[in-house]
């Protein structure tokens, strides 16, 4: 044999499940996209086509639906933990489970208690990894688009022969935040209130973006990450990926039209290329475990 099997995992990806809970006339919606990835003692299926230890991907999909009905979906993190514990606890061959969940938010509209409007582009995320070493929970969001129309400068940077960017003392700062935060390790007792920590972390990101006078997007990123870690004891590490959504002043001089930033200006919102600013903020002494690529 010239090859050996390396890391492998399998499961049903992107099971879309919507759980509606009826509390009298007031209904609640949880709308998830669930991806299951299992691994363990699975050499035989890869080397010999022996399916004896294979819990089918079809079964993992059915389990997602059945668990959503029986027990409901308290939060993406709780649901993912319940699934991971089930797969590793019921199948001797399965020693590790990674459950990834995206949640699409719905807000109430009208007076009915059963009418909803889908939230904009923002997506809540959660990932559980459960194996012999314990359980790691990474949660976050993406698609959170924010803009400061002042309170942002960018100057004092390196000038080499290829630098053309003018210094700015008053620019638009806009980004689309992708955040992943890692909870401290725990083995099931005293689990955090996942929804509450998510709300608090999102609010911390927005507050820090709004009230940091920015000298660079890097500085704003660090302020946002620190605010999330400092907001409570649960989150040890956060990684932020923030594209600089450049707003360039349009040159209206050829038309004899002024474009002054102090009274109101017209910008070109460029979509690419964009600066991509990424960084991790850690609780002092916490290990860096979030992937950096
Ligand atoms: O906040 C910024 N950081 C940079 O590193 C950078 N580079 C650039 O061209 N514009 C900006 N803005």
């Amino acid at each position: 044999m010239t090859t050996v099997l390396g890391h492998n995992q399998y499961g049903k990806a992107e099971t879309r499940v919507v759980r509606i809970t009826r509390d009298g006339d007031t209904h609640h919606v949880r709308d998830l996209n669930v991806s299951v990835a299992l691994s363990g003692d699975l050499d035989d299926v890869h080397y010999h086509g022996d399916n004896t230890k294979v819990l089918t991907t079809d079964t993992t999909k059915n389990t997602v639906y059945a668990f959503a009905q029986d027990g409901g979906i308290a939060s993406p993190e709780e649901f993912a933990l319940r699934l991971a514990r089930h797969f590793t606890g019921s199948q001797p061959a399965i020693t590790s489970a990674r459950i990834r969940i995206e949640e699409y938010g719905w807000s109430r509209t009208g007076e009915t208690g059963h009418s909803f409007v889908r939230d904009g582009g923002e997506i809540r995320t959660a990932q559980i990894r459960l194996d012999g070493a314990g359980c790691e929970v990474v949660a976050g969001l993406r698609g959170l688009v924010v803009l400061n129309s002042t309170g942002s400068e960018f100057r004092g940077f390196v000038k080499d022969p290829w630098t053309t960017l003018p210094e700015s003392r008053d620019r638009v700062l806009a980004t689309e935040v992708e955040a992943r935060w890692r909870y401290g390790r725990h083995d099931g007792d005293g689990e955090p209130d996942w929804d509450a920590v998510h709300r608090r972390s999102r609010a911390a990101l927005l507050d820090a973006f709004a009230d940091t006078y920015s000298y660079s997007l890097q500085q704003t990123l660090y302020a946002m990450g620190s605010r999330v870690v400092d907001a409570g004891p649960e989150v040890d590490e956060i990684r932020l990926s923030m594209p600089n959504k450049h707003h360039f002043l349009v040159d209206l001089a050829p038309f004899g039209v002024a474009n002054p930033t102090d009274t109101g200006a017209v910008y070109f919102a460029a979509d690419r290329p964009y600066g991509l600013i990424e960084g991790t903020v850690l609780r002092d002494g916490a290990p860096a475990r979030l992937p950096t690529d």
Side-chain angles (χ1 to χ4, degrees), residues 153-154 157 165 171 173 214-218 244 246 275 277:
E153 307 185 6
F154 190 60
F157 44 79
L165 186 73
R171 67 173 181 170
L173 186 69
S214 179
Y215 293 95
S216 66
L217 190 52
Q218 288 89 330
N244 195 347
H246 301 295
I277 311 299

Side-chain angles (χ1 to χ4, degrees), residues 200-266:
R200 188 188 72 199
S201 301
R202 182 179 186 277
L205 290 169
L206 291 176
D207 288 349
F209 179 79
D211 58 41
T212 300
Y213 187 93
S214 179
Y215 293 95
S216 66
L217 190 52
Q218 288 89 330
Q219 175 216 359
T220 296
L221 178 151
Y222 184 75
M224 292 168 72
S226 300
R227 192 79 67 100
V228 170
V229 173
D230 284 341
E234 296 89 352
V235 174
D236 280 350
E237 180 182 10
I238 178 169
R239 184 155 179 89
L240 291 162
S241 177
M242 306 202 330
N244 195 347
K245 294 175 80 68
H246 301 295
H247 286 63
F248 296 118
L249 268 180
V250 178
D251 180 8
L252 298 175
F255 320 118
V257 177
N259 201 15
T261 53
D262 52 347
T263 52
V266 171

